Amino acid sequence: MNNSVTNTVRLFGAGLRALLMLTLVTGVIYPLLVTGIAQGLFHDKANGSEIEAHGKVVGSSLIGQPYNLPLKKSQETPDPDLKWFQGRPANGLGTNSLNTRYSLLLSGATNLAADSVDLVQQVKDAKAAVVRNNSVPGYTVKPSQVPADAVTSSGSGLDPDISPRYADIQVHRVAVKNGLPVAQVRKLVEDRTEGRTAGFIGEPRVNVLELNIALKDLVAER
């Protein structure tokens, strides 16, 4: 009987030591090691790829933001603030219905098939809006100029980038709305156009948040 109790105590002690050791290694040492490596080698990415402007964080280079006018009483969706460059549509975003304390958005695609009547209508409406909003005196956008990313949302609905083509057809409208020369606004786009990653991955792109920060600074210099 005494041997049985002794063995039980011994096994319990061994199990407790193993538990404490594993907790120390996997719950303390390993997270600290990974965090330290991430902060040392990938500081920007580890902290969320933050974008700063005038000394404060204004967003992430990985997540798109809306640039809209305040919502009116009779509206369900706000109108775009046309003095800013606009990002891709965000038709796949849902609303947070569980935690109502915070105004959260749920990322996601529309899940509509390519031959969906609803999707086709959304694209037609979006193309008409792009043509209408970006046509200004002396410059008319043709439907054939509108690229796919201007009328479709990404898989997450949170794409932070637009194509150089979509940025280019917004240049005249942004210039007029802000009282700026077209050449200056176009240069903002050219300076912030990124090529394919490693020269062959993905497509050329323009980060909308970074572009609008540069636009705000340009307007402030007038």
Side-chain angles (χ1 to χ4, degrees):
M1 190 69 177
N2 288 338
N3 288 338
S4 177
V5 172
T6 300
N7 289 335
T8 299
V9 171
R10 186 180 296 111
L11 289 173
F12 177 79
L16 181 59
R17 288 193 298 273
L19 175 62
L20 292 175
M21 181 62 70
L22 286 173
T23 300
L24 178 64
V25 173
T26 62
V28 179
I29 296 176
Y30 178 74
L32 288 176
L33 179 62
V34 171
T35 300
I37 293 174
Q39 288 294 330
L41 300 180
F42 312 102
H43 179 75
D44 177 61
K45 291 180 174 60
N47 289 328
S49 300
E50 297 172 336
I51 294 179
E52 293 188 3
H54 308 293
K56 65 178 182 179
V57 176
V58 295
S60 168
S61 63
L62 304 177
I63 301 177
Q65 296 185 23
Y67 300 91
N68 297 325
L69 295 169
L71 188 66
K72 299 177 182 178
K73 289 184 179 180
S74 59
Q75 289 181 314
E76 292 185 3
T77 56
D79 294 324
D81 189 343
L82 297 179
K83 71 179 181 181
W84 302 110
F85 283 93
Q86 297 293 314
R88 296 184 65 174
N91 297 328
L93 294 184
T95 56
N96 169 47
S97 59
L98 299 178
N99 186 343
T100 56
R101 181 177 178 183
Y102 302 103
S103 299
L104 301 178
L105 291 175
L106 309 179
S107 67
T110 62
N111 288 329
L112 296 175
D115 60 352
S116 166
V117 175
D118 291 338
L119 180 60
V120 171
Q121 190 60 50
Q122 285 181 11
V123 170
K124 288 181 177 179
D125 292 343
K127 178 174 284 191
V130 169
V131 170
R132 181 178 63 253
N133 291 339
N134 292 286
S135 294
V136 296
Y139 178 78
T140 301
V141 177
K142 299 177 181 179
S144 59
Q145 291 178 268
V146 180
D149 64 300
V151 297
T152 58
S153 60
S154 63
S156 68
L158 298 172
D159 193 341
D161 304 321
I162 57 175
S163 66
R165 283 181 59 197
Y166 186 27
D168 185 64
I169 64 175
Q170 298 185 62
V171 165
H172 286 79
R173 182 253 300 162
V174 169
V176 169
K177 293 292 183 180
N178 290 281
L180 295 168
V182 171
Q184 280 190 317
V185 179
R186 177 166 284 121
K187 189 173 188 308
L188 289 182
V189 174
E190 293 174 351
D191 290 346
R192 281 150 192 85
T193 298
E194 300 180 50
R196 292 179 172 87
T197 303
F200 67 96
I201 300 174
E203 295 293 332
R205 61 201 181 276
V206 184
N207 186 280
V208 182
L209 176 55
E210 293 180 350
L211 183 58
N212 279 331
I213 290 172
L215 173 62
K216 184 177 181 180
D217 290 342
L218 182 60
V219 172
E221 292 174 0
R222 289 187 304 167

